[in-house]
PDB file of all heavy atoms in Angstrom:
ATOM      1  N   LEU Y   1       7.718 -12.496  21.724  1.00  0.00           N
ATOM      2  CA  LEU Y   1       6.793 -11.648  20.973  1.00  0.00           C
ATOM      3  C   LEU Y   1       5.661 -12.480  20.384  1.00  0.00           C
ATOM      4  O   LEU Y   1       5.854 -13.655  20.055  1.00  0.00           O
ATOM      5  CB  LEU Y   1       7.532 -10.935  19.836  1.00  0.00           C
ATOM      6  CG  LEU Y   1       8.504  -9.822  20.227  1.00  0.00           C
ATOM      7  CD1 LEU Y   1       9.240  -9.350  18.986  1.00  0.00           C
ATOM      8  CD2 LEU Y   1       7.759  -8.667  20.875  1.00  0.00           C
ATOM      9  N   PRO Y   2       4.479 -11.895  20.213  1.00  0.00           N
ATOM     10  CA  PRO Y   2       3.409 -12.620  19.519  1.00  0.00           C
ATOM     11  C   PRO Y   2       3.792 -12.844  18.068  1.00  0.00           C
ATOM     12  O   PRO Y   2       4.565 -12.077  17.478  1.00  0.00           O
ATOM     13  CB  PRO Y   2       2.211 -11.670  19.628  1.00  0.00           C
ATOM     14  CG  PRO Y   2       2.809 -10.320  19.841  1.00  0.00           C
ATOM     15  CD  PRO Y   2       4.069 -10.548  20.626  1.00  0.00           C
ATOM     16  N   LEU Y   3       3.274 -13.916  17.484  1.00  0.00           N
ATOM     17  CA  LEU Y   3       3.541 -14.183  16.082  1.00  0.00           C
ATOM     18  C   LEU Y   3       2.867 -13.141  15.206  1.00  0.00           C
ATOM     19  O   LEU Y   3       1.926 -12.461  15.614  1.00  0.00           O
ATOM     20  CB  LEU Y   3       3.035 -15.578  15.708  1.00  0.00           C
ATOM     21  CG  LEU Y   3       3.791 -16.745  16.337  1.00  0.00           C
ATOM     22  CD1 LEU Y   3       3.110 -18.062  15.982  1.00  0.00           C
ATOM     23  CD2 LEU Y   3       5.246 -16.768  15.887  1.00  0.00           C
ATOM     24  N   ALA Y   4       3.348 -13.026  13.980  1.00  0.00           N
ATOM     25  CA  ALA Y   4       2.777 -12.065  13.039  1.00  0.00           C
ATOM     26  C   ALA Y   4       1.277 -12.277  12.910  1.00  0.00           C
ATOM     27  O   ALA Y   4       0.803 -13.393  12.724  1.00  0.00           O
ATOM     28  CB  ALA Y   4       3.443 -12.221  11.672  1.00  0.00           C
ATOM     29  N   GLY Y   5       0.523 -11.200  13.028  1.00  0.00           N
ATOM     30  CA  GLY Y   5      -0.922 -11.284  12.884  1.00  0.00           C
ATOM     31  C   GLY Y   5      -1.657 -11.640  14.156  1.00  0.00           C
ATOM     32  O   GLY Y   5      -2.873 -11.543  14.212  1.00  0.00           O
ATOM     33  N   ALA Y   6      -0.908 -12.031  15.206  1.00  0.00           N
ATOM     34  CA  ALA Y   6      -1.572 -12.478  16.422  1.00  0.00           C
ATOM     35  C   ALA Y   6      -2.043 -11.329  17.292  1.00  0.00           C
ATOM     36  O   ALA Y   6      -2.803 -11.530  18.225  1.00  0.00           O
ATOM     37  CB  ALA Y   6      -0.622 -13.372  17.234  1.00  0.00           C
ATOM     38  N   ALA Y   7      -1.567 -10.105  17.004  1.00  0.00           N
ATOM     39  CA  ALA Y   7      -1.932  -8.981  17.864  1.00  0.00           C
ATOM     40  C   ALA Y   7      -2.416  -7.792  17.040  1.00  0.00           C
ATOM     41  O   ALA Y   7      -2.112  -6.652  17.334  1.00  0.00           O
ATOM     42  CB  ALA Y   7      -0.740  -8.583  18.712  1.00  0.00           C
ATOM     43  N   GLY Y   8      -3.167  -8.088  16.002  1.00  0.00           N
ATOM     44  CA  GLY Y   8      -3.815  -7.015  15.265  1.00  0.00           C
ATOM     45  C   GLY Y   8      -3.045  -6.468  14.088  1.00  0.00           C
ATOM     46  O   GLY Y   8      -3.526  -5.576  13.404  1.00  0.00           O
ATOM     47  N   ARG Y   9      -1.853  -6.955  13.808  1.00  0.00           N
ATOM     48  CA  ARG Y   9      -1.096  -6.482  12.656  1.00  0.00           C
ATOM     49  C   ARG Y   9      -0.960  -7.647  11.666  1.00  0.00           C
ATOM     50  O   ARG Y   9      -0.130  -8.528  11.834  1.00  0.00           O
ATOM     51  CB  ARG Y   9       0.289  -5.992  13.054  1.00  0.00           C
ATOM     52  CG  ARG Y   9       1.039  -5.306  11.890  1.00  0.00           C
ATOM     53  CD  ARG Y   9       2.533  -5.191  12.193  1.00  0.00           C
ATOM     54  NE  ARG Y   9       2.822  -4.346  13.323  1.00  0.00           N
ATOM     55  CZ  ARG Y   9       2.939  -3.037  13.259  1.00  0.00           C
ATOM     56  NH1 ARG Y   9       2.761  -2.425  12.112  1.00  0.00           N
ATOM     57  NH2 ARG Y   9       3.224  -2.334  14.335  1.00  0.00           N
ATOM     58  N   PRO Y  10      -1.779  -7.685  10.623  1.00  0.00           N
ATOM     59  CA  PRO Y  10      -1.705  -8.813   9.698  1.00  0.00           C
ATOM     60  C   PRO Y  10      -0.403  -8.803   8.914  1.00  0.00           C
ATOM     61  O   PRO Y  10       0.104  -7.744   8.560  1.00  0.00           O
ATOM     62  CB  PRO Y  10      -2.896  -8.574   8.760  1.00  0.00           C
ATOM     63  CG  PRO Y  10      -3.117  -7.103   8.818  1.00  0.00           C
ATOM     64  CD  PRO Y  10      -2.772  -6.688  10.218  1.00  0.00           C
ATOM     65  N   PRO Y  11       0.185  -9.977   8.676  1.00  0.00           N
ATOM     66  CA  PRO Y  11       1.395 -10.018   7.865  1.00  0.00           C
ATOM     67  C   PRO Y  11       1.085  -9.625   6.438  1.00  0.00           C
ATOM     68  O   PRO Y  11       0.223 -10.212   5.800  1.00  0.00           O
ATOM     69  CB  PRO Y  11       1.850 -11.475   7.972  1.00  0.00           C
ATOM     70  CG  PRO Y  11       0.613 -12.237   8.302  1.00  0.00           C
ATOM     71  CD  PRO Y  11      -0.252 -11.311   9.110  1.00  0.00           C
ATOM     72  N   GLY Y  12       1.749  -8.604   5.926  1.00  0.00           N
ATOM     73  CA  GLY Y  12       1.503  -8.160   4.566  1.00  0.00           C
ATOM     74  C   GLY Y  12       2.745  -8.304   3.722  1.00  0.00           C
ATOM     75  O   GLY Y  12       3.681  -9.003   4.080  1.00  0.00           O
ATOM     76  N   ASP Y  13       2.743  -7.621   2.590  1.00  0.00           N
ATOM     77  CA  ASP Y  13       3.896  -7.724   1.705  1.00  0.00           C
ATOM     78  C   ASP Y  13       4.778  -6.484   1.790  1.00  0.00           C
ATOM     79  O   ASP Y  13       5.614  -6.263   0.934  1.00  0.00           O
ATOM     80  CB  ASP Y  13       3.438  -7.961   0.264  1.00  0.00           C
ATOM     81  CG  ASP Y  13       2.534  -6.848  -0.247  1.00  0.00           C
ATOM     82  OD1 ASP Y  13       2.223  -5.928   0.537  1.00  0.00           O
ATOM     83  OD2 ASP Y  13       2.146  -6.899  -1.421  1.00  0.00           O
ATOM     84  N   TRP Y  14       4.593  -5.654   2.805  1.00  0.00           N
ATOM     85  CA  TRP Y  14       5.448  -4.508   3.016  1.00  0.00           C
ATOM     86  C   TRP Y  14       6.868  -5.024   3.236  1.00  0.00           C
ATOM     87  O   TRP Y  14       7.142  -5.742   4.202  1.00  0.00           O
ATOM     88  CB  TRP Y  14       4.956  -3.729   4.231  1.00  0.00           C
ATOM     89  CG  TRP Y  14       5.750  -2.516   4.572  1.00  0.00           C
ATOM     90  CD1 TRP Y  14       6.464  -1.728   3.719  1.00  0.00           C
ATOM     91  CD2 TRP Y  14       5.910  -1.956   5.879  1.00  0.00           C
ATOM     92  NE1 TRP Y  14       7.055  -0.706   4.406  1.00  0.00           N
ATOM     93  CE2 TRP Y  14       6.735  -0.813   5.733  1.00  0.00           C
ATOM     94  CE3 TRP Y  14       5.435  -2.290   7.140  1.00  0.00           C
ATOM     95  CZ2 TRP Y  14       7.095  -0.019   6.811  1.00  0.00           C
ATOM     96  CZ3 TRP Y  14       5.792  -1.505   8.214  1.00  0.00           C
ATOM     97  CH2 TRP Y  14       6.605  -0.380   8.054  1.00  0.00           C
ATOM     98  N   PRO Y  15       7.821  -4.696   2.342  1.00  0.00           N
ATOM     99  CA  PRO Y  15       9.143  -5.339   2.413  1.00  0.00           C
ATOM    100  C   PRO Y  15       9.838  -5.181   3.763  1.00  0.00           C
ATOM    101  O   PRO Y  15      10.418  -6.136   4.275  1.00  0.00           O
ATOM    102  CB  PRO Y  15       9.920  -4.650   1.290  1.00  0.00           C
ATOM    103  CG  PRO Y  15       8.874  -4.228   0.317  1.00  0.00           C
ATOM    104  CD  PRO Y  15       7.685  -3.852   1.147  1.00  0.00           C
ATOM    105  N   ALA Y  16       9.813  -3.983   4.335  1.00  0.00           N
ATOM    106  CA  ALA Y  16      10.509  -3.780   5.606  1.00  0.00           C
ATOM    107  C   ALA Y  16       9.902  -4.643   6.703  1.00  0.00           C
ATOM    108  O   ALA Y  16      10.626  -5.207   7.533  1.00  0.00           O
ATOM    109  CB  ALA Y  16      10.453  -2.306   5.999  1.00  0.00           C
ATOM    110  N   TYR Y  17       8.582  -4.762   6.714  1.00  0.00           N
ATOM    111  CA  TYR Y  17       7.926  -5.561   7.744  1.00  0.00           C
ATOM    112  C   TYR Y  17       8.236  -7.042   7.560  1.00  0.00           C
ATOM    113  O   TYR Y  17       8.585  -7.750   8.516  1.00  0.00           O
ATOM    114  CB  TYR Y  17       6.414  -5.332   7.699  1.00  0.00           C
ATOM    115  CG  TYR Y  17       5.669  -6.227   8.654  1.00  0.00           C
ATOM    116  CD1 TYR Y  17       5.782  -6.045  10.024  1.00  0.00           C
ATOM    117  CD2 TYR Y  17       4.878  -7.278   8.189  1.00  0.00           C
ATOM    118  CE1 TYR Y  17       5.123  -6.877  10.914  1.00  0.00           C
ATOM    119  CE2 TYR Y  17       4.218  -8.111   9.068  1.00  0.00           C
ATOM    120  CZ  TYR Y  17       4.347  -7.917  10.436  1.00  0.00           C
ATOM    121  OH  TYR Y  17       3.705  -8.755  11.301  1.00  0.00           O
ATOM    122  N   VAL Y  18       8.138  -7.514   6.328  1.00  0.00           N
ATOM    123  CA  VAL Y  18       8.385  -8.930   6.053  1.00  0.00           C
ATOM    124  C   VAL Y  18       9.818  -9.294   6.425  1.00  0.00           C
ATOM    125  O   VAL Y  18      10.072 -10.341   7.034  1.00  0.00           O
ATOM    126  CB  VAL Y  18       8.098  -9.248   4.575  1.00  0.00           C
ATOM    127  CG1 VAL Y  18       8.554 -10.654   4.224  1.00  0.00           C
ATOM    128  CG2 VAL Y  18       6.612  -9.086   4.277  1.00  0.00           C
ATOM    129  N   TYR Y  19      10.759  -8.432   6.073  1.00  0.00           N
ATOM    130  CA  TYR Y  19      12.170  -8.686   6.371  1.00  0.00           C
ATOM    131  C   TYR Y  19      12.415  -8.722   7.879  1.00  0.00           C
ATOM    132  O   TYR Y  19      13.018  -9.673   8.408  1.00  0.00           O
ATOM    133  CB  TYR Y  19      13.017  -7.606   5.713  1.00  0.00           C
ATOM    134  CG  TYR Y  19      14.498  -7.712   5.975  1.00  0.00           C
ATOM    135  CD1 TYR Y  19      15.268  -8.715   5.398  1.00  0.00           C
ATOM    136  CD2 TYR Y  19      15.146  -6.781   6.789  1.00  0.00           C
ATOM    137  CE1 TYR Y  19      16.631  -8.799   5.620  1.00  0.00           C
ATOM    138  CE2 TYR Y  19      16.512  -6.855   7.020  1.00  0.00           C
ATOM    139  CZ  TYR Y  19      17.252  -7.862   6.432  1.00  0.00           C
ATOM    140  OH  TYR Y  19      18.599  -7.937   6.668  1.00  0.00           O
ATOM    141  N   ALA Y  20      11.949  -7.705   8.597  1.00  0.00           N
ATOM    142  CA  ALA Y  20      12.184  -7.630  10.036  1.00  0.00           C
ATOM    143  C   ALA Y  20      11.512  -8.779  10.778  1.00  0.00           C
ATOM    144  O   ALA Y  20      12.112  -9.405  11.656  1.00  0.00           O
ATOM    145  CB  ALA Y  20      11.686  -6.287  10.578  1.00  0.00           C
ATOM    146  N   GLU Y  21      10.265  -9.060  10.424  1.00  0.00           N
ATOM    147  CA  GLU Y  21       9.552 -10.130  11.112  1.00  0.00           C
ATOM    148  C   GLU Y  21      10.158 -11.491  10.801  1.00  0.00           C
ATOM    149  O   GLU Y  21      10.247 -12.365  11.675  1.00  0.00           O
ATOM    150  CB  GLU Y  21       8.071 -10.102  10.733  1.00  0.00           C
ATOM    151  CG  GLU Y  21       7.211 -11.130  11.456  1.00  0.00           C
ATOM    152  CD  GLU Y  21       7.155 -10.940  12.970  1.00  0.00           C
ATOM    153  OE1 GLU Y  21       7.544  -9.858  13.465  1.00  0.00           O
ATOM    154  OE2 GLU Y  21       6.713 -11.880  13.656  1.00  0.00           O
ATOM    155  N   GLY Y  22      10.611 -11.687   9.571  1.00  0.00           N
ATOM    156  CA  GLY Y  22      11.273 -12.941   9.227  1.00  0.00           C
ATOM    157  C   GLY Y  22      12.524 -13.159  10.046  1.00  0.00           C
ATOM    158  O   GLY Y  22      12.787 -14.264  10.547  1.00  0.00           O
ATOM    159  N   LYS Y  23      13.311 -12.099  10.220  1.00  0.00           N
ATOM    160  CA  LYS Y  23      14.531 -12.215  11.023  1.00  0.00           C
ATOM    161  C   LYS Y  23      14.202 -12.456  12.495  1.00  0.00           C
ATOM    162  O   LYS Y  23      14.865 -13.262  13.172  1.00  0.00           O
ATOM    163  CB  LYS Y  23      15.373 -10.942  10.872  1.00  0.00           C
ATOM    164  CG  LYS Y  23      16.089 -10.824   9.535  1.00  0.00           C
ATOM    165  CD  LYS Y  23      17.228 -11.827   9.421  1.00  0.00           C
ATOM    166  CE  LYS Y  23      18.114 -11.538   8.218  1.00  0.00           C
ATOM    167  NZ  LYS Y  23      19.236 -12.489   8.095  1.00  0.00           N
ATOM    168  N   ARG Y  24      13.184 -11.751  13.021  1.00  0.00           N
ATOM    169  CA  ARG Y  24      12.802 -11.967  14.428  1.00  0.00           C
ATOM    170  C   ARG Y  24      12.387 -13.419  14.658  1.00  0.00           C
ATOM    171  O   ARG Y  24      12.800 -14.054  15.638  1.00  0.00           O
ATOM    172  CB  ARG Y  24      11.664 -11.021  14.819  1.00  0.00           C
ATOM    173  CG  ARG Y  24      12.097  -9.602  15.129  1.00  0.00           C
ATOM    174  CD  ARG Y  24      10.969  -8.797  15.747  1.00  0.00           C
ATOM    175  NE  ARG Y  24       9.895  -8.530  14.819  1.00  0.00           N
ATOM    176  CZ  ARG Y  24       9.750  -7.411  14.108  1.00  0.00           C
ATOM    177  NH1 ARG Y  24      10.637  -6.431  14.211  1.00  0.00           N
ATOM    178  NH2 ARG Y  24       8.725  -7.248  13.294  1.00  0.00           N
ATOM    179  N   GLN Y  25      11.568 -13.943  13.770  1.00  0.00           N
ATOM    180  CA  GLN Y  25      11.090 -15.311  13.953  1.00  0.00           C
ATOM    181  C   GLN Y  25      12.207 -16.327  13.739  1.00  0.00           C
ATOM    182  O   GLN Y  25      12.229 -17.381  14.387  1.00  0.00           O
ATOM    183  CB  GLN Y  25       9.910 -15.575  13.029  1.00  0.00           C
ATOM    184  CG  GLN Y  25       8.660 -14.803  13.417  1.00  0.00           C
ATOM    185  CD  GLN Y  25       7.428 -15.282  12.673  1.00  0.00           C
ATOM    186  OE1 GLN Y  25       7.319 -16.447  12.300  1.00  0.00           O
ATOM    187  NE2 GLN Y  25       6.493 -14.386  12.455  1.00  0.00           N
ATOM    188  N   ALA Y  26      13.139 -16.047  12.833  1.00  0.00           N
ATOM    189  CA  ALA Y  26      14.286 -16.940  12.656  1.00  0.00           C
ATOM    190  C   ALA Y  26      15.131 -16.977  13.927  1.00  0.00           C
ATOM    191  O   ALA Y  26      15.548 -18.042  14.390  1.00  0.00           O
ATOM    192  CB  ALA Y  26      15.122 -16.489  11.461  1.00  0.00           C
ATOM    193  N   GLU Y  27      15.375 -15.785  14.508  1.00  0.00           N
ATOM    194  CA  GLU Y  27      16.092 -15.736  15.788  1.00  0.00           C
ATOM    195  C   GLU Y  27      15.363 -16.564  16.843  1.00  0.00           C
ATOM    196  O   GLU Y  27      15.988 -17.292  17.630  1.00  0.00           O
ATOM    197  CB  GLU Y  27      16.218 -14.296  16.275  1.00  0.00           C
ATOM    198  CG  GLU Y  27      17.236 -13.438  15.556  1.00  0.00           C
ATOM    199  CD  GLU Y  27      17.431 -12.103  16.261  1.00  0.00           C
ATOM    200  OE1 GLU Y  27      17.042 -11.985  17.446  1.00  0.00           O
ATOM    201  OE2 GLU Y  27      17.972 -11.177  15.637  1.00  0.00           O
ATOM    202  N   ALA Y  28      14.046 -16.442  16.875  1.00  0.00           N
ATOM    203  CA  ALA Y  28      13.258 -17.137  17.896  1.00  0.00           C
ATOM    204  C   ALA Y  28      13.413 -18.648  17.797  1.00  0.00           C
ATOM    205  O   ALA Y  28      13.428 -19.348  18.815  1.00  0.00           O
ATOM    206  CB  ALA Y  28      11.787 -16.747  17.780  1.00  0.00           C
ATOM    207  N   VAL Y  29      13.527 -19.175  16.583  1.00  0.00           N
ATOM    208  CA  VAL Y  29      13.709 -20.619  16.394  1.00  0.00           C
ATOM    209  C   VAL Y  29      15.001 -21.076  17.068  1.00  0.00           C
ATOM    210  O   VAL Y  29      15.028 -22.079  17.789  1.00  0.00           O
ATOM    211  CB  VAL Y  29      13.723 -20.973  14.893  1.00  0.00           C
ATOM    212  CG1 VAL Y  29      14.179 -22.422  14.679  1.00  0.00           C
ATOM    213  CG2 VAL Y  29      12.344 -20.762  14.281  1.00  0.00           C
ATOM    214  N   PHE Y  30      16.086 -20.350  16.835  1.00  0.00           N
ATOM    215  CA  PHE Y  30      17.375 -20.750  17.406  1.00  0.00           C
ATOM    216  C   PHE Y  30      17.460 -20.495  18.903  1.00  0.00           C
ATOM    217  O   PHE Y  30      18.079 -21.267  19.639  1.00  0.00           O
ATOM    218  CB  PHE Y  30      18.503 -19.996  16.705  1.00  0.00           C
ATOM    219  CG  PHE Y  30      18.742 -20.407  15.281  1.00  0.00           C
ATOM    220  CD1 PHE Y  30      18.589 -19.499  14.251  1.00  0.00           C
ATOM    221  CD2 PHE Y  30      19.113 -21.705  14.964  1.00  0.00           C
ATOM    222  CE1 PHE Y  30      18.810 -19.864  12.927  1.00  0.00           C
ATOM    223  CE2 PHE Y  30      19.341 -22.091  13.646  1.00  0.00           C
ATOM    224  CZ  PHE Y  30      19.190 -21.164  12.623  1.00  0.00           C
ATOM    225  N   LEU Y  31      16.824 -19.410  19.366  1.00  0.00           N
ATOM    226  CA  LEU Y  31      16.911 -19.053  20.777  1.00  0.00           C
ATOM    227  C   LEU Y  31      15.961 -19.857  21.644  1.00  0.00           C
ATOM    228  O   LEU Y  31      16.232 -20.098  22.826  1.00  0.00           O
ATOM    229  CB  LEU Y  31      16.603 -17.563  20.959  1.00  0.00           C
ATOM    230  CG  LEU Y  31      17.642 -16.577  20.432  1.00  0.00           C
ATOM    231  CD1 LEU Y  31      17.047 -15.169  20.383  1.00  0.00           C
ATOM    232  CD2 LEU Y  31      18.892 -16.596  21.312  1.00  0.00           C
ATOM    233  N   GLY Y  32      14.830 -20.283  21.072  1.00  0.00           N
ATOM    234  CA  GLY Y  32      13.779 -20.909  21.867  1.00  0.00           C
ATOM    235  C   GLY Y  32      14.169 -22.249  22.455  1.00  0.00           C
ATOM    236  O   GLY Y  32      13.818 -22.562  23.598  1.00  0.00           O
ATOM    237  N   ASP Y  33      14.878 -23.067  21.694  1.00  0.00           N
ATOM    238  CA  ASP Y  33      15.274 -24.398  22.164  1.00  0.00           C
ATOM    239  C   ASP Y  33      16.626 -24.717  21.542  1.00  0.00           C
ATOM    240  O   ASP Y  33      16.719 -25.435  20.548  1.00  0.00           O
ATOM    241  CB  ASP Y  33      14.224 -25.435  21.745  1.00  0.00           C
ATOM    242  CG  ASP Y  33      14.522 -26.814  22.300  1.00  0.00           C
ATOM    243  OD1 ASP Y  33      15.344 -26.915  23.229  1.00  0.00           O
ATOM    244  OD2 ASP Y  33      13.947 -27.796  21.788  1.00  0.00           O
ATOM    245  N   PRO Y  34      17.709 -24.159  22.096  1.00  0.00           N
ATOM    246  CA  PRO Y  34      19.021 -24.252  21.453  1.00  0.00           C
ATOM    247  C   PRO Y  34      19.473 -25.691  21.236  1.00  0.00           C
ATOM    248  O   PRO Y  34      19.470 -26.502  22.166  1.00  0.00           O
ATOM    249  CB  PRO Y  34      19.940 -23.521  22.426  1.00  0.00           C
ATOM    250  CG  PRO Y  34      19.043 -22.637  23.226  1.00  0.00           C
ATOM    251  CD  PRO Y  34      17.753 -23.390  23.346  1.00  0.00           C
ATOM    252  N   ALA Y  35      19.856 -25.993  19.997  1.00  0.00           N
ATOM    253  CA  ALA Y  35      20.392 -27.311  19.664  1.00  0.00           C
ATOM    254  C   ALA Y  35      21.909 -27.289  19.616  1.00  0.00           C
ATOM    255  O   ALA Y  35      22.547 -28.342  19.554  1.00  0.00           O
ATOM    256  CB  ALA Y  35      19.841 -27.767  18.315  1.00  0.00           C
ATOM    257  N   PHE Y  36      22.480 -26.080  19.629  1.00  0.00           N
ATOM    258  CA  PHE Y  36      23.925 -25.871  19.594  1.00  0.00           C
ATOM    259  C   PHE Y  36      24.171 -24.441  20.069  1.00  0.00           C
ATOM    260  O   PHE Y  36      23.244 -23.625  20.091  1.00  0.00           O
ATOM    261  CB  PHE Y  36      24.491 -26.070  18.188  1.00  0.00           C
ATOM    262  CG  PHE Y  36      23.545 -25.698  17.080  1.00  0.00           C
ATOM    263  CD1 PHE Y  36      23.097 -24.385  16.912  1.00  0.00           C
ATOM    264  CD2 PHE Y  36      23.061 -26.661  16.202  1.00  0.00           C
ATOM    265  CE1 PHE Y  36      22.216 -24.040  15.896  1.00  0.00           C
ATOM    266  CE2 PHE Y  36      22.172 -26.326  15.190  1.00  0.00           C
ATOM    267  CZ  PHE Y  36      21.749 -25.010  15.038  1.00  0.00           C
ATOM    268  N   PRO Y  37      25.381 -24.104  20.475  1.00  0.00           N
ATOM    269  CA  PRO Y  37      25.665 -22.719  20.873  1.00  0.00           C
ATOM    270  C   PRO Y  37      25.359 -21.772  19.714  1.00  0.00           C
ATOM    271  O   PRO Y  37      25.863 -21.952  18.602  1.00  0.00           O
ATOM    272  CB  PRO Y  37      27.157 -22.744  21.214  1.00  0.00           C
ATOM    273  CG  PRO Y  37      27.435 -24.159  21.593  1.00  0.00           C
ATOM    274  CD  PRO Y  37      26.551 -24.989  20.702  1.00  0.00           C
ATOM    275  N   TYR Y  38      24.534 -20.758  19.993  1.00  0.00           N
ATOM    276  CA  TYR Y  38      24.020 -19.894  18.924  1.00  0.00           C
ATOM    277  C   TYR Y  38      24.284 -18.423  19.243  1.00  0.00           C
ATOM    278  O   TYR Y  38      24.151 -17.988  20.390  1.00  0.00           O
ATOM    279  CB  TYR Y  38      22.506 -20.114  18.778  1.00  0.00           C
ATOM    280  CG  TYR Y  38      21.806 -19.014  18.012  1.00  0.00           C
ATOM    281  CD1 TYR Y  38      21.863 -18.965  16.620  1.00  0.00           C
ATOM    282  CD2 TYR Y  38      21.109 -18.002  18.674  1.00  0.00           C
ATOM    283  CE1 TYR Y  38      21.243 -17.933  15.916  1.00  0.00           C
ATOM    284  CE2 TYR Y  38      20.485 -16.975  17.981  1.00  0.00           C
ATOM    285  CZ  TYR Y  38      20.559 -16.956  16.604  1.00  0.00           C
ATOM    286  OH  TYR Y  38      19.947 -15.931  15.916  1.00  0.00           O
ATOM    287  N   VAL Y  39      24.635 -17.669  18.193  1.00  0.00           N
ATOM    288  CA  VAL Y  39      24.772 -16.214  18.290  1.00  0.00           C
ATOM    289  C   VAL Y  39      23.989 -15.580  17.145  1.00  0.00           C
ATOM    290  O   VAL Y  39      24.133 -15.981  15.983  1.00  0.00           O
ATOM    291  CB  VAL Y  39      26.245 -15.763  18.191  1.00  0.00           C
ATOM    292  CG1 VAL Y  39      26.334 -14.237  18.287  1.00  0.00           C
ATOM    293  CG2 VAL Y  39      27.090 -16.411  19.271  1.00  0.00           C
ATOM    294  N   GLY Y  40      23.166 -14.592  17.475  1.00  0.00           N
ATOM    295  CA  GLY Y  40      22.471 -13.804  16.468  1.00  0.00           C
ATOM    296  C   GLY Y  40      23.107 -12.424  16.400  1.00  0.00           C
ATOM    297  O   GLY Y  40      23.022 -11.653  17.360  1.00  0.00           O
ATOM    298  N   VAL Y  41      23.779 -12.114  15.296  1.00  0.00           N
ATOM    299  CA  VAL Y  41      24.473 -10.831  15.135  1.00  0.00           C
ATOM    300  C   VAL Y  41      23.515  -9.832  14.495  1.00  0.00           C
ATOM    301  O   VAL Y  41      23.145  -9.972  13.325  1.00  0.00           O
ATOM    302  CB  VAL Y  41      25.739 -10.980  14.272  1.00  0.00           C
ATOM    303  CG1 VAL Y  41      26.385  -9.611  14.028  1.00  0.00           C
ATOM    304  CG2 VAL Y  41      26.725 -11.932  14.931  1.00  0.00           C
ATOM    305  N   ARG Y  42      23.095  -8.846  15.269  1.00  0.00           N
ATOM    306  CA  ARG Y  42      22.168  -7.820  14.774  1.00  0.00           C
ATOM    307  C   ARG Y  42      22.980  -6.687  14.150  1.00  0.00           C
ATOM    308  O   ARG Y  42      23.503  -5.817  14.836  1.00  0.00           O
ATOM    309  CB  ARG Y  42      21.269  -7.342  15.915  1.00  0.00           C
ATOM    310  CG  ARG Y  42      20.318  -8.450  16.392  1.00  0.00           C
ATOM    311  CD  ARG Y  42      19.584  -8.107  17.658  1.00  0.00           C
ATOM    312  NE  ARG Y  42      18.617  -9.157  18.003  1.00  0.00           N
ATOM    313  CZ  ARG Y  42      17.951  -9.227  19.153  1.00  0.00           C
ATOM    314  NH1 ARG Y  42      18.149  -8.301  20.096  1.00  0.00           N
ATOM    315  NH2 ARG Y  42      17.098 -10.216  19.366  1.00  0.00           N
TER     316      ARG Y  42
END
């Protein structure tokens, strides 16, 4: 996915957006270049 703000949606302080985007990007860190076996429980 594009990073927050990269596709026309600026990162704001809307709690639901901040929470969801933070979790998506955290998942991306672990999934992008695994340093250990990783599971993301949604």
Side-chain angles (χ1 to χ4, degrees):
L1 289 174
L3 292 175
R9 188 196 296 275
D13 59 357
W14 180 29
Y17 175 69
V18 171
Y19 178 72
E21 183 63 15
K23 286 289 191 179
R24 281 190 291 264
Q25 291 192 30
E27 285 189 17
V29 169
F30 290 118
L31 290 167
D33 185 16
F36 31 64
Y38 163 79
V39 180
V41 176
R42 293 170 176 171

